[in-house]
Amino acid sequence: MLNITAAEKKALKGRGYIMTNDGEHFVARVITVDGVMTGEEMEKLAEAAERFGNGRTAMTSRLTLEVQGLTYDTIEPFNEFIAGAGLYTGGTGSRVRPIVPCKGTVCVHGLIDTQSLARELHETFYKGWYDVKLPHKFKIGIGGCPNNCIKPGLNDFGIMGQRVPAYDPDDCSGCKKCAVVEVCPIKAAHLDEDGVMQIDREACNNCGKCVDQCNFDCVTEEKIGYRIMVGGIWGKRQRLGTVVDEIYTKEQVFEMIERALLLYREQGQTGERFGVFIERIGTDSFISQLKAGDVMERKQAILEAPLHLEGGATC
């Protein structure tokens, strides 16, 4: 059994070097930024695994790679070696975690460039907020469409690509065989008793499959944007993220993430997950504060203030 202090073990974990269950070895959690690695980076990691670990790597559920079997003495040489390819470890602690995008950038269903967005968010919030301690970890997930492949609604802050159809029933030609009805995957589009195509806006998830499918150009694109979900939890307890009922621009998404983080740091209690915090103060109250945006006026004071403990004390 390796003889290091609990403080040393915690410090290593904070850097992305996590002790395994044998009490002697570590896995090195390597950040992938946008879920993508180049061939050069993969070769570097493979060589690092052979040199400093046991030759094995594993993929995590959040698109990072873990090199297995490092010893305490090989951590620093490993760290220096992978830095030669611009790689680094991390992804732990009570802070913004690495961003997880689906492959919407290259997927036939993708409505947004998920990987590009992940890179921008990584720079702004993973790197930019790295030294900001939060009440608990804060995970951001990006889904390119409503297929939910990476389950954005189970992240603390979920983002989903949206393509909103523009349609006026008065423009419908009343085709007996409607191409829009046939292509709608969730049957939100249907023919009414008069043979006019209708779109159930409550059921429609803005997947965009119907856009430009009408033979008479009745269904076009209103806008492409982003849906936001807040407070999702996937773990010992589950909570589906609360949908913020608007479609946002990319600039607004960045603003909403920053507002959410500031509200969480200002009012959250140490050890409290973001979704639990939202439930404690009330979902309506949180959404109202999130949309109002006046928390930005308190930004500097919030970042300098100590975190709250349960019962109102600070730490």
Side-chain angles (χ1 to χ4, degrees):
M1 189 73 67
L2 182 63
N3 185 23
I4 62 172
T5 66
E8 287 178 297
K9 190 186 300 184
K10 183 177 180 181
L12 286 170
K13 184 177 181 181
R15 293 173 55 197
Y17 293 97
I18 305 166
M19 182 172 278
T20 61
N21 56 12
D22 67 4
E24 295 183 9
H25 294 88
F26 296 83
V27 296
R29 185 170 293 176
V30 181
I31 305 303
T32 60
V33 179
D34 56 359
V36 177
M37 298 193 80
T38 65
E40 180 186 359
E41 290 170 339
M42 293 292 284
E43 288 177 0
K44 193 76 170 180
L45 274 187
E47 186 177 351
E50 294 290 346
R51 280 198 189 190
F52 307 105
N54 60 12
R56 297 171 64 86
T57 60
M59 292 171 285
T60 73
S61 61
R62 291 186 61 79
L63 303 184
T64 57
L65 285 172
E66 290 184 343
V67 176
Q68 300 180 345
L70 275 72
T71 64
Y72 182 77
D73 293 334
T74 58
I75 286 176
E76 296 308 331
F78 171 87
N79 199 63
E80 183 178 345
F81 183 79
I82 66 170
L87 297 170
Y88 49 94
T89 60
T92 59
S94 297
R95 56 169 60 95
V96 177
R97 295 292 184 88
I99 317 303
V100 178
C102 75
K103 62 172 189 174
T105 299
V106 298
C107 179
V108 295
H109 303 294
L111 302 175
I112 57 174
D113 186 347
T114 53
Q115 292 162 356
S116 173
L117 178 60
R119 292 191 293 273
E120 292 182 56
L121 291 173
H122 179 86
E123 292 296 321
T124 302
F125 295 107
Y126 179 73
K127 282 188 171 181
W129 284 64
Y130 192 82
D131 294 325
V132 178
K133 185 173 177 58
L134 299 172
H136 210 295
K137 57 190 173 186
F138 190 91
K139 298 179 177 180
I140 301 173
I142 307 170
C145 76
N147 281 356
N148 276 311
C149 293
I150 64 101
K151 304 173 182 63
L154 293 176
N155 283 258
D156 297 285
F157 196 102
I159 303 163
M160 179 187 289
Q162 299 275 271
R163 192 182 190 194
V164 183
Y167 172 65
D168 185 342
D170 291 340
D171 296 332
C172 180
S173 300
C175 301
K176 291 184 178 180
K177 187 175 182 180
C178 177
V180 173
V181 170
E182 289 190 349
V183 80
C184 180
I186 59 168
K187 310 305 179 187
H190 61 278
L191 297 179
D192 65 18
E193 57 186 14
D194 296 320
V196 176
M197 196 273 287
Q198 303 287 346
I199 296 178
D200 182 346
R201 293 291 181 170
E202 291 295 318
C204 178
N205 62 9
N206 300 322
C207 71
K209 296 295 184 184
C210 65
V211 173
D212 298 330
Q213 292 300 309
C214 175
N215 296 322
F216 297 94
D217 300 322
C218 287
V219 183
T220 56
E221 178 184 288
E222 181 178 323
K223 62 179 174 180
I224 284 185
Y226 306 80
R227 186 174 293 286
I228 290 172
M229 294 148 280
V230 293
I233 302 174
W234 183 252
K236 297 181 183 69
R237 173 185 174 182
Q238 292 86 49
R239 180 186 191 274
L240 187 60
T242 300
V243 175
V244 183
D245 198 21
E246 293 180 33
I247 306 299
Y248 292 94
T249 65
K250 185 170 75 171
E251 291 72 23
Q252 289 173 322
V253 168
F254 277 74
E255 292 172 6
M256 295 295 260
I257 294 174
E258 186 163 19
R259 293 177 191 177
L261 286 169
L262 289 170
L263 289 169
Y264 187 31
R265 195 179 194 285
E266 179 185 47
Q267 302 176 39
Q269 299 172 351
T270 298
E272 182 179 51
R273 288 298 301 271
F274 186 54
V276 176
F277 152 66
I278 290 173
E279 290 181 345
R280 177 172 58 80
I281 71 169
T283 302
D284 290 344
S285 173
F286 175 79
I287 297 298
S288 176
Q289 292 183 69
L290 185 68
K291 288 184 174 181
D294 56 2
V295 67
M296 297 299 294
E297 299 170 7
R298 307 190 297 277
K299 179 177 179 178
Q300 196 58 40
I302 291 171
L303 294 178
E304 293 174 354
L307 288 170
H308 291 279
L309 296 171
E310 187 175 356
T314 58
C315 63

